[in-house]
Short mmCIF file of all heavy atoms in Angstrom, two decimals:
data_model
loop_
_atom_site.label_atom_id
_atom_site.label_comp_id
_atom_site.label_asym_id
_atom_site.label_seq_id
_atom_site.Cartn_x
_atom_site.Cartn_y
_atom_site.Cartn_z
N SER A 17 131.27 222.75 55.15
CA SER A 17 130.42 221.74 55.76
C SER A 17 128.96 222.05 55.47
O SER A 17 128.59 223.19 55.15
CB SER A 17 130.65 221.67 57.28
OG SER A 17 130.18 222.84 57.90
N ALA A 18 128.13 221.02 55.59
CA ALA A 18 126.69 221.17 55.40
C ALA A 18 125.98 220.35 56.47
O ALA A 18 126.36 219.21 56.74
CB ALA A 18 126.28 220.70 54.01
N GLY A 19 124.95 220.94 57.07
CA GLY A 19 124.18 220.26 58.10
C GLY A 19 124.24 220.99 59.42
O GLY A 19 124.56 222.19 59.48
N ARG A 20 123.94 220.28 60.47
CA ARG A 20 124.00 220.83 61.82
C ARG A 20 125.36 220.54 62.44
O ARG A 20 125.78 219.39 62.48
CB ARG A 20 122.93 220.21 62.71
CG ARG A 20 121.60 220.90 62.68
CD ARG A 20 120.69 220.30 63.72
NE ARG A 20 119.42 220.98 63.73
CZ ARG A 20 118.30 220.46 64.18
NH1 ARG A 20 118.29 219.23 64.65
NH2 ARG A 20 117.19 221.15 64.17
N LYS A 21 126.00 221.58 62.95
CA LYS A 21 127.28 221.40 63.61
C LYS A 21 127.42 222.43 64.73
O LYS A 21 127.11 223.60 64.55
CB LYS A 21 128.44 221.54 62.62
CG LYS A 21 129.79 221.15 63.22
CD LYS A 21 130.88 221.13 62.16
CE LYS A 21 132.20 220.66 62.78
NZ LYS A 21 133.29 220.62 61.79
N LYS A 22 127.89 221.97 65.90
CA LYS A 22 128.08 222.88 67.02
C LYS A 22 129.23 223.84 66.72
O LYS A 22 130.33 223.41 66.37
CB LYS A 22 128.39 222.09 68.29
CG LYS A 22 127.25 221.21 68.77
CD LYS A 22 127.66 220.41 70.01
CE LYS A 22 126.51 219.54 70.50
NZ LYS A 22 126.89 218.73 71.69
N ARG A 23 128.93 225.12 66.85
CA ARG A 23 129.95 226.14 66.61
C ARG A 23 129.77 227.26 67.64
O ARG A 23 128.70 227.47 68.18
CB ARG A 23 129.82 226.73 65.21
CG ARG A 23 129.98 225.73 64.08
CD ARG A 23 129.99 226.42 62.73
NE ARG A 23 129.94 225.46 61.65
CZ ARG A 23 130.97 224.78 61.18
NH1 ARG A 23 132.16 224.96 61.73
NH2 ARG A 23 130.84 223.93 60.18
N TRP A 24 130.86 227.98 67.88
CA TRP A 24 130.84 229.16 68.73
C TRP A 24 131.38 230.32 67.92
O TRP A 24 132.37 230.18 67.20
CB TRP A 24 131.68 228.97 69.97
CG TRP A 24 131.19 227.89 70.89
CD1 TRP A 24 130.37 228.06 71.98
CD2 TRP A 24 131.48 226.49 70.83
NE1 TRP A 24 130.13 226.84 72.58
CE2 TRP A 24 130.80 225.86 71.89
CE3 TRP A 24 132.23 225.69 69.96
CZ2 TRP A 24 130.85 224.49 72.13
CZ3 TRP A 24 132.29 224.33 70.19
CH2 TRP A 24 131.61 223.75 71.26
N LEU A 25 130.74 231.46 68.01
CA LEU A 25 131.18 232.65 67.30
C LEU A 25 131.36 233.80 68.29
O LEU A 25 130.53 233.99 69.18
CB LEU A 25 130.17 233.06 66.23
CG LEU A 25 130.07 232.17 64.99
CD1 LEU A 25 128.93 232.64 64.10
CD2 LEU A 25 131.38 232.20 64.21
N GLY A 26 132.43 234.55 68.11
CA GLY A 26 132.65 235.71 68.95
C GLY A 26 133.74 235.51 69.97
O GLY A 26 134.11 234.39 70.31
N LEU A 27 134.24 236.63 70.47
CA LEU A 27 135.28 236.61 71.50
C LEU A 27 134.60 236.58 72.86
O LEU A 27 134.33 237.62 73.47
CB LEU A 27 136.18 237.85 71.37
CG LEU A 27 136.90 238.03 70.03
CD1 LEU A 27 137.77 239.28 70.08
CD2 LEU A 27 137.76 236.81 69.71
N ALA A 28 134.29 235.39 73.32
CA ALA A 28 133.65 235.23 74.63
C ALA A 28 133.88 233.80 75.10
O ALA A 28 134.07 232.90 74.29
CB ALA A 28 132.16 235.53 74.55
N ASP A 29 133.88 233.60 76.40
CA ASP A 29 134.14 232.29 76.96
C ASP A 29 132.96 231.37 76.70
O ASP A 29 131.83 231.66 77.06
CB ASP A 29 134.39 232.40 78.46
CG ASP A 29 134.98 231.12 79.03
OD1 ASP A 29 134.27 230.11 79.04
OD2 ASP A 29 136.14 231.15 79.45
N SER A 30 133.23 230.24 76.07
CA SER A 30 132.16 229.32 75.68
C SER A 30 131.99 228.17 76.66
O SER A 30 131.14 227.30 76.45
CB SER A 30 132.45 228.74 74.29
OG SER A 30 133.68 228.03 74.29
N THR A 31 132.78 228.15 77.76
CA THR A 31 132.68 227.04 78.70
C THR A 31 132.22 227.50 80.08
O THR A 31 131.31 226.91 80.66
CB THR A 31 134.04 226.32 78.84
OG1 THR A 31 135.03 227.27 79.25
CG2 THR A 31 134.45 225.69 77.53
N MET A 32 132.81 228.55 80.61
CA MET A 32 132.47 229.01 81.95
C MET A 32 131.58 230.25 81.96
O MET A 32 131.01 230.60 82.98
CB MET A 32 133.73 229.32 82.76
CG MET A 32 134.60 228.11 83.06
SD MET A 32 135.83 228.51 84.33
CE MET A 32 136.72 229.85 83.56
N GLY A 33 131.47 230.93 80.81
CA GLY A 33 130.79 232.21 80.78
C GLY A 33 129.35 232.15 80.30
O GLY A 33 128.75 231.08 80.13
N LEU A 34 128.79 233.33 80.07
CA LEU A 34 127.42 233.45 79.57
C LEU A 34 127.33 233.14 78.09
O LEU A 34 126.24 232.88 77.58
CB LEU A 34 126.90 234.88 79.82
CG LEU A 34 126.79 235.32 81.28
CD1 LEU A 34 126.47 236.80 81.36
CD2 LEU A 34 125.73 234.50 82.01
N GLY A 35 128.45 233.14 77.40
CA GLY A 35 128.45 232.90 75.97
C GLY A 35 128.34 234.19 75.19
O GLY A 35 128.02 235.25 75.73
N SER A 36 128.61 234.12 73.89
CA SER A 36 128.55 235.31 73.04
C SER A 36 127.14 235.89 72.99
O SER A 36 126.15 235.16 73.08
CB SER A 36 129.01 234.97 71.62
OG SER A 36 130.39 234.76 71.58
N TYR A 37 127.08 237.19 72.78
CA TYR A 37 125.80 237.90 72.79
C TYR A 37 124.83 237.34 71.76
O TYR A 37 123.65 237.12 72.06
CB TYR A 37 126.05 239.39 72.53
CG TYR A 37 124.81 240.16 72.17
CD1 TYR A 37 123.78 240.31 73.09
CD2 TYR A 37 124.66 240.74 70.91
CE1 TYR A 37 122.63 241.02 72.76
CE2 TYR A 37 123.53 241.45 70.58
CZ TYR A 37 122.50 241.59 71.51
OH TYR A 37 121.37 242.28 71.17
N THR A 38 125.28 237.09 70.53
CA THR A 38 124.34 236.66 69.49
C THR A 38 124.38 235.16 69.22
O THR A 38 123.48 234.63 68.57
CB THR A 38 124.62 237.39 68.15
OG1 THR A 38 125.94 237.08 67.70
CG2 THR A 38 124.44 238.88 68.31
N TRP A 39 125.42 234.44 69.68
CA TRP A 39 125.59 233.04 69.28
C TRP A 39 126.27 232.30 70.43
O TRP A 39 127.47 232.11 70.44
CB TRP A 39 126.42 232.96 68.00
CG TRP A 39 126.27 231.70 67.23
CD1 TRP A 39 127.08 230.59 67.28
CD2 TRP A 39 125.27 231.39 66.26
NE1 TRP A 39 126.64 229.63 66.40
CE2 TRP A 39 125.52 230.09 65.76
CE3 TRP A 39 124.17 232.10 65.76
CZ2 TRP A 39 124.73 229.49 64.79
CZ3 TRP A 39 123.38 231.50 64.80
CH2 TRP A 39 123.66 230.21 64.31
N SER A 40 125.47 231.84 71.39
CA SER A 40 126.04 231.36 72.65
C SER A 40 126.08 229.85 72.80
O SER A 40 126.65 229.34 73.76
CB SER A 40 125.22 231.93 73.81
OG SER A 40 123.90 231.39 73.80
N GLY A 41 125.43 229.10 71.89
CA GLY A 41 125.29 227.66 72.10
C GLY A 41 124.09 227.33 72.96
O GLY A 41 124.01 226.25 73.53
N ASN A 42 123.12 228.25 73.05
CA ASN A 42 121.95 228.05 73.87
C ASN A 42 120.82 227.32 73.15
O ASN A 42 119.91 226.81 73.79
CB ASN A 42 121.42 229.41 74.37
CG ASN A 42 120.37 229.28 75.45
OD1 ASN A 42 120.60 228.65 76.46
ND2 ASN A 42 119.22 229.87 75.22
N ALA A 43 120.89 227.26 71.83
CA ALA A 43 119.85 226.61 71.03
C ALA A 43 120.46 225.50 70.18
O ALA A 43 121.69 225.45 69.99
CB ALA A 43 119.15 227.63 70.14
N LEU A 44 119.61 224.62 69.68
CA LEU A 44 120.09 223.62 68.73
C LEU A 44 120.82 224.31 67.58
O LEU A 44 120.40 225.39 67.14
CB LEU A 44 118.91 222.83 68.16
CG LEU A 44 118.38 221.65 68.96
CD1 LEU A 44 117.05 221.18 68.36
CD2 LEU A 44 119.38 220.50 68.97
N PRO A 45 121.89 223.72 67.06
CA PRO A 45 122.55 224.30 65.89
C PRO A 45 121.58 224.41 64.71
O PRO A 45 120.77 223.51 64.48
CB PRO A 45 123.68 223.32 65.59
CG PRO A 45 123.95 222.65 66.90
CD PRO A 45 122.61 222.54 67.57
N ILE A 46 121.65 225.51 63.99
CA ILE A 46 120.78 225.74 62.84
C ILE A 46 121.40 225.08 61.61
O ILE A 46 122.59 225.30 61.32
CB ILE A 46 120.59 227.24 62.60
CG1 ILE A 46 119.90 227.86 63.83
CG2 ILE A 46 119.78 227.51 61.34
CD1 ILE A 46 119.79 229.37 63.76
N PRO A 47 120.66 224.26 60.85
CA PRO A 47 121.21 223.64 59.65
C PRO A 47 121.71 224.71 58.67
O PRO A 47 120.99 225.69 58.40
CB PRO A 47 120.02 222.87 59.07
CG PRO A 47 119.09 222.68 60.21
CD PRO A 47 119.26 223.88 61.08
N ALA A 48 122.91 224.54 58.17
CA ALA A 48 123.51 225.57 57.33
C ALA A 48 124.59 224.98 56.44
O ALA A 48 125.14 223.92 56.72
CB ALA A 48 124.10 226.68 58.20
N VAL A 49 124.89 225.71 55.38
CA VAL A 49 126.08 225.47 54.57
C VAL A 49 127.11 226.49 55.03
O VAL A 49 126.85 227.70 55.01
CB VAL A 49 125.79 225.63 53.08
CG1 VAL A 49 127.08 225.48 52.27
CG2 VAL A 49 124.75 224.61 52.62
N TYR A 50 128.27 226.00 55.46
CA TYR A 50 129.26 226.83 56.14
C TYR A 50 130.60 226.73 55.41
O TYR A 50 131.04 225.65 55.02
CB TYR A 50 129.41 226.36 57.59
CG TYR A 50 130.58 226.93 58.34
CD1 TYR A 50 130.42 228.04 59.17
CD2 TYR A 50 131.85 226.35 58.26
CE1 TYR A 50 131.49 228.56 59.89
CE2 TYR A 50 132.92 226.87 58.97
CZ TYR A 50 132.73 227.97 59.79
OH TYR A 50 133.80 228.48 60.49
N PHE A 51 131.26 227.88 55.26
CA PHE A 51 132.63 227.90 54.73
C PHE A 51 133.44 228.84 55.60
O PHE A 51 133.03 229.98 55.87
CB PHE A 51 132.65 228.39 53.29
CG PHE A 51 134.04 228.50 52.72
CD1 PHE A 51 134.77 227.35 52.43
CD2 PHE A 51 134.62 229.73 52.51
CE1 PHE A 51 136.06 227.44 51.92
CE2 PHE A 51 135.91 229.83 52.00
CZ PHE A 51 136.62 228.68 51.71
N GLY A 52 134.59 228.37 56.08
CA GLY A 52 135.40 229.23 56.93
C GLY A 52 136.69 228.57 57.35
O GLY A 52 137.05 227.48 56.91
N THR A 53 137.39 229.26 58.23
CA THR A 53 138.69 228.80 58.73
C THR A 53 138.49 227.98 60.00
O THR A 53 137.49 228.11 60.70
CB THR A 53 139.61 229.98 59.03
OG1 THR A 53 139.01 230.79 60.05
CG2 THR A 53 139.84 230.83 57.80
N ASN A 54 139.48 227.15 60.31
CA ASN A 54 139.48 226.38 61.55
C ASN A 54 140.47 226.93 62.57
O ASN A 54 140.60 226.37 63.66
CB ASN A 54 139.82 224.92 61.26
CG ASN A 54 138.60 224.15 60.79
OD1 ASN A 54 137.55 224.21 61.42
ND2 ASN A 54 138.73 223.45 59.68
#
């Protein structure tokens, strides 16, 4: 994919918790070219 897309990284709760240490969904998604698994 290319562009801005909401993603969560890390083993942490993304709905009820504080979110992952480095990538929590606290900021606007950063525009990127992404390749990975679903």
Side-chain angles (χ1 to χ4, degrees):
S17 68
R20 271 187 178 157
K21 189 172 183 180
K22 295 178 179 179
R23 300 186 189 279
W24 296 265
L25 288 174
L27 301 181
D29 193 293
S30 60
T31 57
M32 294 194 301
L34 297 171
S36 287
Y37 165 65
T38 61
W39 201 264
S40 67
N42 191 55
L44 276 169
I46 298 175
V49 176
Y50 168 97
F51 177 72
T53 61
N54 278 311

